[in-house]
Each structure stands twice: as C-alpha cells, then as structure tokens.
Amino acid sequence: MYDHRKLGRELGLFDTDPLIGAGLPYWLPDGAVVRHTLEEYIRDAERRAGYQHVYSPVLGKRELYEISGHWSHYSEDMFPPMDLGGEEFVLRPSLCPHHALMYRSRSRSYRELPVRMAELGGMYRAELSGVLGGLTRVRAIQLNDAHIFCTLDQVADEARGALDLIREAYAALGITPARFRLSLPGPGGKYVADPALWERSAALLTDVLDGSGVAYEAVEGEAAFYGPKIDVQVTDSAGREATLSTVQVDFHQPEQFDLRYVGADGAKHRPVMVHRSVIGSVERAVAYLIERHGGAFPAWLAPTQVVVLPISEAEAPQAADLVRRCADAGLRARLSGPEHGTLGARIRADRLVPYQAVIGPKEAADDLVALRLRDGTRLNALPSAEAVTRIAAAARPGNGDSLWETGI
C-alpha cells in the first residue's frame, strides 16, 4: 500500500511549506514533468475529440457567481470577496460561468453547435485546514474542465462522447474506476428549484449510462446544485473513495446567462450546457497515479524515461552522446555516471526508471547499448539508434513496454 504524500516527497515530486500555506503544494521538477505530461496528454486527446482550448481569469466579480448560482448555493466553500475600488471580486470556485460568458460573447448559429470549450484552469476552494492533505484535498486546484454548448438533440451523443474520452484516458493512465455513479439531488435546499429540468437531465444521463454498458449506482444527495451528473469514482490506497471524472447536464446556467443560438427556423433557442471533466483535478489525478503505480509511472508519464549508465569513466563520452540522441527523439533521459556509485548501486537508485541503458567497453566500441527494464529483464545488446527508436515508440501513451515484450 502506497501513500502518495510520503512517496511524493521521497521521489521529489511535490512538497509544502508553512509560509506558502496548508493546501497549497508546490511542484518540484520531477513532479512538474509528470503534471505537464499529463496535461499535454489531455489537451491532445481533447483536440482530437473536437475541443477548442481557451484561457480565462481566476478572478471574477461577485455578481458573476450570483447570476450562476454559486454564491447562493456554494459561498461557504468560496474565499471571501476582495474589495477593489468599490467592486467585489472573488477567486473562482468553478470555470463554468466564465465559459458561459465566452459562449455568449457573440451570436451563435445552430450550424456551429456543438461548441466544445476546454480549459486546464485554476480554481479555488476555501477548504478547512483539518480536511487538507497531500494533493487530494487542496485549496488551489488545476482543473481539467470543459463545457459543451449543444442542442437538446445533441446532448446524449455529447455525453456518450465524454464517457468514451474518459475511458480512453483511463486505459492510457492505468486507472481502474471503482464504480460509476449517477448522482441525483437529495433532501435539502442546496439545489436549484426546477423539478422539470432535473427530471429531464436525469433521464438523459440514465439513458447514456444504460446504453454505455457500464454498471452504475444511482445515489441521492451527490448532484451539483444545478443538475445531476455521472461521477466516475476511484479509491485511494486507504480505500477512501473520491470522484475523479464527471459528466453533467445543465439547463440552469444557460437560462441564467440567457445563452442563445439561432436555429434553422431563424428563431432564437436555448442551448444545453454539458459539463465534462476527463481527469478532474490534476492534483487528485496525480495523487491517484502515484499510489496506483507506486511511483513506477507508465513509460510515457515517467519523469525520467531513460537513465544511461556507463560502467566506467571511459564510456562517459558514448553515454553522453546517447543522452543527446534520446533528447533529440523527444525522450526524457539523463546520465548517471560512476561518480554516483557502483553500477549495482546506480541500478537500484534508478529502479523506477522504465529503461536503463548500460554501456560497457564492448558497447562503447560497437555503438551498442545493453538495456534493462525496471522489472529486472535484461535485453540483448542493440545498436544505439535502434534502441532509441524502439524506446521512443514504446514510450507513447497506451503502449507501455509492449513493444519490448513482443519485439525482442
């Protein structure tokens, strides 16, 4: 059983400092590599799925969140307003109001729909210090978020597409969902009061889940304040469950922000807003991945993908050249020379690196490399150029070590 807080610090991925504050972790170089690589994977997957990426500010006027409903339903989780020149601004608790305004910044035709707007953006939650911990409960969150503005007839297909994107990402990342949950409203006044819209939204999501072939549970009291949602749940090393990914149907905010599109009939119509997050909070996703893989990340996500190990100083020039060739191929490689200890000690120190490239006198003389996999497998010596090509192919998302298992 791994604890991401302990392992993350041991591996130099992230840490905290009381002068920065609780719930505000900083990312060290290797952690920043994991985070950046994960974010770029998500951006690329979204681009291929037809999303357009945007940026929006992390501040907004209090009035913005009064219109969206966050202030009346969610203000206890928001940071207090800041007075700037007589106007009140708040750190945003969500990206959706900003995206709604970006959608309505110009007129829209039905021919443009669906509009798929995605952002990896910052948001803030005023969590109490007693519940903060590691990367799973933080006050500053980098959210993988997207909002799809579409017609009612397009909602089911868009929600299905979002679920497909989530499952594709989970396969590449090695994430195993604990369960799928249809989150419905429960007793209490934290929800927008419009029974007809809730019923319509819940019916749409139920149809999507029924058609997806995944088992799910309907749970009351877990909906967002503006609508029901599909939650993809994961468990951490201690067996605690959390939501990683969501798909939500929202009729409320399009109404609040008076969003429109011009239909084929020339009249104005109201779009539906589908909220969708593939990996949710980047912090929570990385925490899960640290524990899931014990720090031995999939090759494409590993901070260092190749460590080059010359047996002695005599092979250092060839080792340095191999590091350069790896970098030219887009791989993250570094040199670990004899100044760091015996070969055995260096191999043990870098046991989590997917590929260890050993260069001795024979390899140096013939431009070869002897590869070791992190499971201890030793491969026959290969020409350096071929080794780099094979590693680069194997270190793509979803490939893992499969090319080595079948190719040598």
Side-chain angles (χ1 to χ4, degrees):
M1 180 184 295
Y2 299 105
D3 183 333
H4 83 275
R5 294 167 297 183
K6 182 174 183 291
L7 195 54
R9 288 179 172 89
E10 288 175 356
L11 298 178
L13 301 177
F14 69 90
D15 211 333
T16 58
D17 191 289
L19 284 177
I20 296 175
L24 299 169
Y26 56 80
W27 297 79
L28 295 163
D30 278 357
V33 168
V34 173
R35 172 174 166 167
H36 176 79
T37 305
L38 178 60
E39 291 175 352
E40 283 304 297
Y41 166 77
I42 291 299
R43 285 193 182 98
D44 182 64
E46 288 172 336
R47 279 192 294 267
R48 287 185 283 105
Y51 288 83
Q52 296 176 308
H53 288 94
V54 298
Y55 290 105
S56 57
V58 298
L59 284 170
K61 288 186 180 181
R62 171 176 163 169
E63 181 185 0
L64 172 64
Y65 301 102
E66 289 174 340
I67 294 170
S68 70
H70 286 83
W71 189 257
S72 59
H73 294 89
Y74 203 76
S75 58
E76 68 275 9
D77 295 309
M78 296 171 63
F79 280 92
M82 295 172 279
D83 188 294
L84 299 174
E87 294 182 312
E88 288 191 328
F89 288 81
V90 295
L91 289 167
R92 68 179 175 193
S94 177
L95 281 67
C96 44
H98 288 73
H99 289 185
L101 294 184
M102 294 167 84
Y103 172 87
R104 82 171 195 187
S105 64
R106 63 176 180 81
S107 61
R108 306 279 181 172
S109 164
Y110 72 97
R111 294 185 179 89
E112 298 177 62
L113 271 55
V115 172
R116 304 184 186 102
M117 194 179 294
E119 182 174 3
L120 275 155
M123 67 180 203
Y124 299 84
R125 301 280 172 87
E127 300 275 16
L128 298 176
S129 58
V131 301
L132 299 171
L135 297 176
T136 54
R137 292 294 290 270
V138 294
R139 287 171 169 157
I141 300 165
Q142 190 75 5
L143 188 69
N144 160 233
D145 205 10
H147 298 94
I148 304 165
F149 303 90
C150 60
T151 68
L152 182 60
D153 291 343
Q154 294 170 331
V155 169
D157 284 343
E158 292 303 312
R160 276 191 290 269
L163 271 184
D164 289 343
L165 198 56
I166 290 167
R167 289 192 280 192
E168 175 190 329
Y170 280 24
L173 291 162
I175 296 174
T176 303
R179 63 178 176 135
F180 288 76
R181 184 177 74 192
L182 176 61
S183 296
L184 301 170
K190 72 172 186 175
Y191 306 104
V192 172
D194 195 329
L197 293 185
W198 281 95
E199 186 176 337
R200 177 187 283 184
S201 301
L204 282 167
L205 290 179
T206 299
D207 286 346
V208 169
L209 283 168
D210 288 342
S212 70
V214 299
Y216 68 94
E217 301 172 57
V219 179
E220 291 187 352
E222 296 294 339
F225 73 84
Y226 48 77
K229 56 195 174 97
I230 297 170
D231 288 325
V232 187
Q233 303 295 104
V234 296
T235 53
D236 67 10
S237 59
R240 293 171 298 218
E241 187 177 290
T243 300
L244 192 61
S245 311
T246 64
V247 182
Q248 308 167 25
V249 174
D250 181 2
F251 291 93
H252 171 71
Q253 290 193 68
E255 182 78 27
Q256 290 298 105
F257 287 103
D258 193 26
L259 304 186
R260 305 276 186 171
Y261 68 90
V262 177
D265 57 0
K268 291 184 177 179
H269 300 269
R270 187 84 66 205
V272 182
M273 196 170 174
V274 177
H275 304 238
R276 181 248 66 190
S277 183
V278 173
I279 58 164
S281 136
V282 172
E283 290 79 10
R284 180 172 288 175
V286 172
Y288 175 88
L289 291 169
I290 292 170
E291 295 185 356
R292 168 68 178 81
H293 299 293
F297 296 105
W300 67 273
L301 195 57
T304 300
Q305 296 169 310
V306 185
V307 60
V308 181
L309 305 167
I311 290 179
S312 71
E313 288 292 345
E315 295 83 42
Q318 290 83 3
D321 181 63
L322 181 59
V323 170
R324 286 192 294 271
R325 290 158 121 179
C326 287
D328 289 343
L331 292 165
R332 297 184 290 275
R334 60 176 168 79
L335 177 65
S336 180
E339 69 275 12
H340 295 293
T342 65
L343 179 62
R346 285 179 279 152
I347 287 172
R348 289 190 297 274
D350 284 314
R351 65 191 179 281
L352 297 181
V353 176
Y355 304 104
Q356 298 178 333
V358 179
I359 299 179
K362 183 179 187 309
E363 287 82 15
D366 297 334
D367 193 23
L368 299 173
V369 58
L371 287 170
R372 295 173 59 102
L373 306 185
R374 62 182 159 199
D375 64 1
T377 301
R378 300 184 186 189
L379 306 175
N380 295 329
L382 283 172
S384 295
E386 182 181 349
V388 170
T389 298
R390 290 199 179 207
I391 293 173
R396 294 187 186 120
N399 281 352
D401 295 339
S402 59
L403 294 186
W404 295 106
E405 292 166 2
T406 59
I408 296 177

